[in-house]
Amino acid sequence: DGTPVVSDHTAKVLSFNSMSAFRLTCGKSKCTALTFRRCASIDASAASAAATASAAAWLSPLSASVARRTAITEALLSDRPRVHQSFLYDARGVALYEGILGTPEYYLPAAEEALLQANLDALTAPLSSRLALVELGAGDGGRTRRLVERAAAQAAEPLVYAPADISAESLSLNEAGFRGSEPLAARRAVCAPILADHEAAIDAAGGAFGAEGRELCFLFMGSSLGNFDDGEVDALFCRVGAWIAGGRGRLWLGLDSPHSPAKSAHRIGRAYNDEEGWTAAFTLNALSHVNDITGTDFDTADWRHVAEYDAASTSVFTHVEARRAVVLSVPAEGGGRRELRRFAAGERVFVEQSRKFSEEETRRLAEAAGLRLSRSWASDDYLIAELVRGSA
């Protein structure tokens, strides 16, 4: 209904302002975690107008949106049928993903953590004393907590940490972990959660913290960039770049590296096919989520999870594959059901890609969006890259 989602978060309020995209209001009151609409423009006033017109239109009313249901069914009817990766993340999907992170096959969290811990001082050394750390797709925040603590420790002024996610449950866990950190409490650091998708969160944080004169450091970790194609990467980079112009900001990326003499393609493939079946359950749950939104009648018993690493594109492609012939139906106008599509046994529905990035590929994508790869740290498994605006 466009009403801000109020939670028990402390110390910061993000509110709309007609003169700029967002205004940061400080105080010791509760924090209002706003749900923002996707903004097509990165212009601040346009972002404000779009968000004000229908705040929460993308998240809360999602299941009731006729346009959203139509988009889902049209994607299922396309020549390359797909279920968008965003539908992996309902409440059950978030819980399943946390299970994936604990499997021995899924090496990415440990690889990222090891590389972060080995380079905390180097990463945080150039940061300003007046800083806002904005983490996109932050989840519960546990994997970047030490990085946030290190940045707060060296900042002369209290650091603002803004975790952004589409899951209110994850943000609640994130903020609870933040409150429980003694180093962050000692430095009077502030947590300002943003309940929004990536695009809206970037504009919200850029407008709010930029107006306060803070340096913006965006984090996009967990190799989440791997879910994006080139066009989506370019859009994200351009959006961030618009807020970090003038040399006062940066974007940190955590990226899974491709196969190499030191890292086998088999190792990458196994990460998406764990023996306990967490990843399979996670993928199939997207079908149940789509059922909840559109009224389709996917039966997960009719489908199986398929994830394969393609060495040529250095990407894992995840599909659901029909175990048998399937007739998919949706509610019909006036009652009853109508057939939407027939799937033959073995036919696949695309769910997501998980790209792997070399330093060279990261540099290419950055330069295409007007950014520059300024620093990087690498292991056999993983890459952390820092992107900035401007020439060296």
Side-chain angles (χ1 to χ4, degrees):
D1 59 2
T3 304
V5 179
V6 181
S7 63
D8 291 329
H9 306 301
T10 58
K12 293 287 176 179
V13 178
L14 289 176
S15 60
F16 294 112
N17 182 297
S18 59
M19 298 304 294
S20 61
F22 303 95
R23 181 181 62 200
L24 184 66
T25 305
C26 301
K28 296 182 178 180
S29 59
K30 293 183 178 180
C31 170
T32 302
L34 292 176
T35 303
F36 300 99
R37 186 171 184 244
R38 290 181 182 270
C39 299
S41 172
I42 59 175
D43 174 77
S45 59
S48 177
T52 303
S54 55
W58 184 73
L59 289 168
S60 303
L62 179 63
S63 61
S65 167
V66 173
R68 192 66 172 172
R69 291 199 302 269
T70 300
I72 294 169
T73 55
E74 286 180 350
L76 288 168
L77 288 169
S78 68
D79 292 339
R80 188 194 186 195
R82 78 162 299 177
V83 167
H84 194 271
Q85 66 221 29
S86 60
F87 298 111
L88 293 164
Y89 296 98
D90 61 358
R92 183 169 183 265
V94 169
L96 289 168
Y97 182 67
E98 290 300 317
I100 291 170
L101 297 179
T103 63
E105 295 91 347
Y106 199 69
Y107 60 84
L108 283 75
E112 180 174 276
E113 182 179 7
L115 200 54
L116 279 174
Q117 296 311 309
N119 297 283
L120 281 177
D121 289 338
L123 268 164
T124 58
L127 299 178
S128 76
S129 60
R130 186 171 174 79
L131 179 69
L133 283 178
V134 183
E135 184 172 6
L136 305 175
D140 66 10
R143 290 172 291 281
T144 55
R145 186 77 68 222
R146 290 186 184 178
L147 177 62
V148 176
E149 290 172 346
R150 183 63 59 90
Q154 70 174 46
E157 298 185 24
L159 172 142
V160 173
Y161 170 62
D165 207 286
I166 62 172
S167 167
E169 293 85 356
S170 292
L171 287 178
S172 293
L173 291 171
N174 192 312
E175 206 248 344
F178 186 97
R179 286 201 312 264
S181 167
E182 293 184 5
L184 291 172
R187 298 297 299 176
R188 295 183 294 115
V190 174
C191 186
I194 304 173
L195 182 64
D197 66 355
H198 300 323
E199 295 92 337
I202 291 166
D203 288 339
F209 305 125
E212 292 291 311
R214 292 183 179 274
E215 177 185 353
L216 288 162
C217 181
F218 290 93
L219 290 73
F220 197 29
M221 309 303 284
S223 204
S224 297
L225 191 71
N227 297 145
F228 291 20
D229 61 28
D230 275 10
E232 292 166 331
V233 171
D234 187 72
L236 182 80
F237 284 3
C238 287
R239 201 173 204 100
V240 170
W243 293 109
I244 63 172
R248 284 189 56 80
R250 65 200 71 230
L251 168 63
W252 285 338
L253 299 169
L255 305 168
D256 193 17
S257 59
H259 66 286
S260 68
K263 181 181 183 181
S264 69
H266 177 69
R267 174 172 169 76
I268 296 172
R270 285 184 68 243
Y272 299 84
N273 292 280
D274 63 281
E275 290 186 4
E276 293 184 8
W278 286 97
T279 313
F282 176 65
T283 302
L284 291 170
N285 182 66
L287 302 183
S288 299
H289 191 188
V290 167
N291 284 346
D292 293 339
I293 295 168
T294 65
T296 49
D297 56 355
F298 278 110
D299 183 343
T300 56
D302 291 336
W303 301 84
R304 70 184 184 98
H305 158 86
V306 178
E308 299 167 326
Y309 180 63
D310 176 59
S313 62
T314 64
S315 299
V316 174
F317 294 101
T318 298
H319 296 80
V320 289
E321 182 180 277
R323 296 178 180 272
R324 56 189 67 87
V326 172
V327 178
L328 185 68
S329 70
V330 293
E333 292 184 14
R337 302 191 66 80
R338 64 177 178 85
E339 180 179 313
L340 179 67
R341 179 169 183 155
R342 291 176 180 263
F343 294 92
E347 192 170 357
R348 293 182 176 184
V349 176
F350 176 66
V351 179
E352 75 171 347
Q353 67 173 356
S354 301
R355 297 171 66 179
K356 312 303 170 186
F357 297 91
S358 65
E359 185 173 311
E360 293 72 22
E361 176 72 354
T362 306
R363 180 178 290 106
R364 177 187 72 81
L365 292 165
E367 291 177 353
L371 301 179
R372 174 172 60 86
L373 177 62
S374 61
R375 300 186 296 164
S376 63
W377 300 264
S379 66
D380 289 341
D381 281 327
Y382 215 75
L383 172 69
I384 293 174
E386 178 184 82
L387 307 186
V388 298
R389 279 288 294 271
S391 57

